[in-house]
Amino acid sequence: MHSAASTDFINDVYPQLSDEERIRVDLAAAYNLIEHFGMSDSIYTHISARLPGVHDRFLINPYGTRFSEVTASNLVAIDLDGNILDDPFGMGANPAGFTIHSAVHAARPDAQCALHTHTVAGVAVSSTKEGILPINQWSMQFYQAVSRHPYEGIALNLAERERLVKDLGPDNKVLILDNHGMMTLGDNVGEAFTLMFNLERTCQTQLAILSSGLTIQNVEPEICKRTSDQYKEFAELSQRNGFHAEWLAYLRLLETVAPHYRA
Ligand SMILES: [Zn+2]
């Protein structure tokens, strides 16, 4: 059972937050959850969320913070060019780290959140020509729904941003950055996080299957497609009072292990 305090916040306070307060809480939660599940890379990679009611202002972690240090109140607001608009603790932001995010946010107004990771499993799968193989149930969620962008080195010039946006396309919510890592997009922070959580497990499982040396039991394309459709139906059925049940479950986890996230 959860403590009364955590139950009160998720059940009573969270639904009453303003749009900006909820985005701040959700984004700080995503940083802390990525840390909790071992998907962070020191101070590198970012999770960004668009502020409500605008197309060109975003929240991102303060420069140099570990993901476990991010809270709802220390997030930094920046624009598409990386200019700092609001920095409550004077910690700055990393405009270079935001380059990929700004290109994605500018091109995809449907995405409130963009979440980028460098995990061993994600980088490993991103470094293969085959990418994500539809060979287990988790991976079916991503069947025919993944974009790829070839590696061009660390620096992202304007021309590469245009190629990245073209490679991402208008619909997919998963982008493999070849030889580099993974990115997920979400209509909200919870969707971007849950996609990344399942993507990470998919990559880990794929590596385990391939390293077993055994014969892969392939799945017929029509079954892959049907399972992919089922994942979409489950997502719609999993709403609780307007919020996704899986995201609320992750927030309750943080209430136990890292309640400072919403400070
Ligand atoms: Zn990166």
Side-chain angles (χ1 to χ4, degrees):
M1 290 295 290
H2 302 284
S3 71
S6 69
T7 303
D8 286 348
F9 179 77
I10 302 301
N11 287 343
D12 300 336
V13 180
Y14 182 76
Q16 306 299 326
L17 295 176
S18 70
D19 287 348
E20 178 168 344
E21 288 170 334
R22 187 174 304 110
I23 287 169
R24 284 179 171 276
V25 166
D26 283 351
L27 184 57
Y31 274 101
N32 281 271
L33 286 164
I34 288 290
E35 181 78 34
H36 177 77
F37 287 109
M39 292 190 276
S40 64
D41 179 16
S42 182
I43 62 169
Y44 306 106
T45 84
H46 298 282
I47 315 169
S48 55
R50 193 190 310 269
L51 281 160
V54 295
H55 72 282
D56 59 352
R57 295 184 182 193
F58 307 87
L59 295 169
I60 197 168
N61 59 319
Y63 185 62
T65 47
R66 296 193 313 278
F67 283 19
S68 57
E69 296 174 314
V70 177
T71 69
S73 58
N74 70 16
L75 293 162
V76 176
I78 57 179
D79 66 16
L80 281 170
D81 298 318
N83 297 311
I84 294 174
L85 306 172
D86 180 37
D87 182 12
F89 290 80
M91 298 169 76
N94 179 4
F98 187 60
T99 312
I100 294 172
H101 292 247
S102 66
V104 167
H105 279 299
R108 290 285 297 270
D110 59 308
Q112 185 196 56
C113 180
L115 196 168
H116 175 42
T117 59
H118 304 155
T119 62
V120 171
V123 173
V125 170
S126 84
S127 306
T128 63
K129 282 200 188 311
E130 290 81 359
I132 298 163
L133 299 169
I135 51 175
N136 64 80
Q137 181 164 279
W138 286 319
S139 66
M140 306 292 172
Q141 182 174 13
F142 308 108
Y143 185 66
Q144 295 182 333
V146 175
S147 301
R148 298 191 71 158
H149 174 65
Y151 190 58
E152 298 188 22
I154 289 176
L156 272 169
N157 58 36
L158 208 57
E160 179 172 359
R161 286 170 55 161
E162 287 170 11
R163 288 190 288 276
L164 182 143
V165 162
K166 191 159 174 286
D167 290 338
L168 171 63
D171 300 315
N172 286 346
K173 290 180 171 174
V174 175
L175 174 65
I176 296 179
L177 297 158
D178 287 2
N179 313 92
H180 170 182
M182 297 285 170
M183 176 173 266
T184 56
L185 310 184
D187 296 351
N188 48 61
V189 177
E191 184 184 25
F193 176 79
T194 52
L195 276 175
M196 184 60 81
F197 186 86
N198 290 341
L199 183 63
E200 176 66 15
R201 285 195 299 187
T202 294
C203 292
Q204 290 181 6
T205 306
Q206 179 168 319
L207 296 178
I209 293 167
L210 295 177
S211 62
S212 75
L214 301 177
T215 308
I216 294 173
Q217 184 77 291
N218 285 308
V219 182
E220 293 299 322
E222 58 267 30
I223 301 292
C224 297
K225 178 70 172 66
R226 186 198 305 166
T227 314
S228 158
D229 291 341
Q230 286 175 317
Y231 265 104
K232 293 184 189 117
E233 290 163 22
F234 286 146
E236 287 168 21
L237 290 172
S238 301
Q239 297 295 313
R240 295 283 183 280
N241 303 321
F243 303 108
H244 197 281
E246 189 178 354
W247 182 238
L248 296 180
Y250 283 123
L251 292 181
R252 290 197 303 275
L253 168 67
L254 279 188
E255 291 292 319
T256 305
V257 300
H260 68 274
Y261 77 98
R262 57 177 160 89

